[in-house]
Amino acid sequence: MQTDSSKTRDELLVELQRYRVKALGVDALKEQLNRVEDQCRLLQSRLEQRDQDLARECADHHAAVKELGLAQLIVDRSPVILFRRKAGDTFQMDYISVNLRNFGYAPEEFINGKLKFRDIIYRDDRDRVREEVLRFQKADLEEYSQQYRLVTKSGEIRWVYDQTSVVRDKSGTKIYNQGILIDITVRKSAEEKLRKSEEKFRRIVETAAEGFLLMDENLQIVDVNEAYCRMVGYTKKELIGKTPLDLMPDTSRGYILANKETLFMREHRQHESHFIAKDGRRIPILAHGNTLRDDQGTIIGNVAFCTDMTEHKKALILAGEVQKSLLPSKKPHVRGLDIAGRNVSCDEIGGDYFDFLWRHDSSRNAFSIVVGDISGHGVESALLMTTARAFLRMRAAQPGTISEIISEMNNHLVGDILDSGKFMTLFYLSIDPDKRELNWVRAGHDPALIYTPSTGEFEELKGSGLALGVIDGFRYISHQKNDLNNGQIIAIGTDGIWEAINTNGQMFGKKRLRDTIRKYAGESADDILNQVYVELNQFMSGTKPEDDITLVIVKVEGLPEKTSPV
């Protein structure tokens, strides 16, 4: 073997050329290898992307299968049966859900034609159902519903509600009828029980002196007795299909609609209202209503017994007139004071009270304002208020301080009302314009308000003191304020004002009362009083007051200017 040193120059050049050729081949192989590696990386990337896509598709497929299985499970356990049948009069089933097994049948029996749906319709209903379907098809209805009976495989008869809709192809041709079947046997059974119950008690209802109404879940009248017809002057035929709201005046209807949820959330309810008779008479009634439910608790109707309160209301109105005659009938004239008072009862008679008294043992211009509130309202509260007024007037005419007067009044009331659970709150205010002095006793009543326009501030006439009629021997303390000034406004009211509730469940509140007094402070006492009641009525629009409302306004004006001591 020749060494490089022994080789000729030409031989070396040839060998060098040979190596160069080999090197070029290696470079080409490297380039080819690089291209192959790039292709492999691209294929690897595509493979990874495809794996991710397949994983997502598998996950989506798994989720869809799971949702489909869940939906199928819901359908299987649902009382609602799904169906689809070919259009036409063959009634050939194309699909029916597996929960048909609740009736003892397998869907395959209808799909393969072994059974026809007509075969399981109760024999007395078959012709009617077929005639109805043909009539619906002839009328080209897109949706229709039916009620009929099916016979289960075991021979049990069940009622179903059939809701069917039409499926059309792109040309508008009917190709399928599809819909749902719902087992309404329980509802029908309840309706049948109700019908039998009606028959059982109809004689009792028809001979009752009270008006009776049977209504569906939408309050449409289904039946009435003769007493109700006599009460309102309509025949039974005229009343069927109406609702009690149709016979009510706007005020009563507005109250019912505004408080519908509150009224009807109770199974047993009682409220007073009015009906307008056929001859235009306004009839006050007391209604006792009940909600009717089936065995499953579903509302299927309502009943109500209505008592004509005309004679009762006449007696109450007369009592109310007597009670109102006990309230001040004239505006008191006191030098330096403009005074106005008003009482509005939520019923014909109430338990609120206000009065104006002159003290014989005081200076000739000193007089007192009394505002009281017996707990509750109605006849009992009105009688207690009358008793309290009589004693207070009698005792105030005798010598003694206002604390002594109220303490003795409390002792008297304890004997009258302690066992009844009633009590009376009272604010007794004595005003001496000459001395520019206020003296008051607060017996569990909300503090009176004093508004000073020059500062824009309100002050409360506070003080301790229990409600009257609670503890025998309790000693009430009087409080005093001096420096009464022109322009100041005193307001003494009952909680029926600030606790009044509107249709949204909001309370009127003391802030609205203060805002109204501040807004109309430049007006007379009568105007301020009127504006408070206007604001209150607007706030409560559509809502019947639940408590008596009493307010006394005193505007200080015309007091002589203060003189500096010499």
Side-chain angles (χ1 to χ4, degrees), residues 336-347:
L337 303 177
D338 180 17
I339 306 164
R342 185 181 302 173
N343 163 259
V344 176
S345 299
C346 62
D347 294 322

Side-chain angles (χ1 to χ4, degrees), residues 265-284:
M265 70 184 295
R266 301 191 294 266
E267 293 293 306
H268 308 283
R269 46 198 175 268
Q270 172 184 316
H271 69 277
E272 292 189 22
S273 188
H274 290 84
F275 287 140
I276 301 297
K278 192 173 183 178
D279 60 8
R281 289 179 297 113
R282 188 183 178 97
I283 308 168

Side-chain angles (χ1 to χ4, degrees), residues 472-487:
D472 190 16
F474 187 85
R475 304 304 299 174
Y476 290 85
I477 301 172
S478 64
H479 306 271
Q480 187 178 85
K481 176 180 173 61
N482 298 310
D483 297 328
L484 196 62
N485 295 307
N486 286 320

Side-chain angles (χ1 to χ4, degrees), residues 255 259 346-347 377 499-501 540 543-548:
Y255 173 75
N259 297 275
C346 62
D347 294 322
H377 47 83
E499 292 182 3
I501 298 176
M540 295 181 63
T543 304
K544 182 180 181 293
E546 296 184 358
D547 199 359
D548 306 326

Side-chain angles (χ1 to χ4, degrees), residues 209-275:
E210 293 181 314
F212 170 80
L213 297 91
L214 175 64
M215 298 160 282
D216 64 16
E217 60 271 28
N218 298 315
L219 297 183
Q220 285 192 324
I221 297 174
V222 177
D223 196 11
V224 295
N225 68 352
E226 185 61 31
Y228 185 78
C229 293
R230 289 196 303 270
M231 184 190 304
V232 296
Y234 290 95
T235 64
K236 180 182 292 190
K237 184 177 180 180
E238 290 174 317
L239 291 169
I240 300 300
K242 292 181 179 293
T243 72
L245 297 178
D246 296 330
L247 304 180
M248 291 182 179
D250 292 341
T251 51
S252 298
R253 187 187 305 113
Y255 173 75
I256 296 294
L257 293 175
N259 297 275
K260 187 174 181 180
E261 291 187 8
T262 303
L263 289 172
F264 287 91
M265 70 184 295
R266 301 191 294 266
E267 293 293 306
H268 308 283
R269 46 198 175 268
Q270 172 184 316
H271 69 277
E272 292 189 22
S273 188
H274 290 84
F275 287 140

Side-chain angles (χ1 to χ4, degrees), residues 108-125:
E108 296 79 13
E109 294 179 277
F110 297 90
I111 304 302
N112 60 26
K114 183 179 179 181
L115 280 176
K116 293 183 178 179
F117 192 74
R118 173 183 171 84
D119 298 335
I120 68 171
I121 298 177
Y122 185 60
R123 61 179 180 274
D124 292 348
D125 294 346

Side-chain angles (χ1 to χ4, degrees), residues 125-162:
D125 294 346
R126 288 174 188 168
D127 291 340
R128 174 179 63 82
V129 171
R130 181 178 179 82
E131 289 172 3
E132 287 177 354
V133 171
L134 292 176
R135 187 168 68 251
F136 295 146
Q137 290 177 346
K138 186 175 181 180
D140 200 27
L141 297 180
E142 294 298 317
E143 285 190 5
Y144 56 85
S145 61
Q146 297 172 277
Q147 293 184 20
Y148 50 85
R149 290 165 287 184
L150 295 180
V151 182
T152 68
K153 205 157 194 175
S154 63
E156 181 186 356
I157 298 174
R158 295 187 191 175
W159 277 95
V160 295
Y161 173 78
D162 179 330

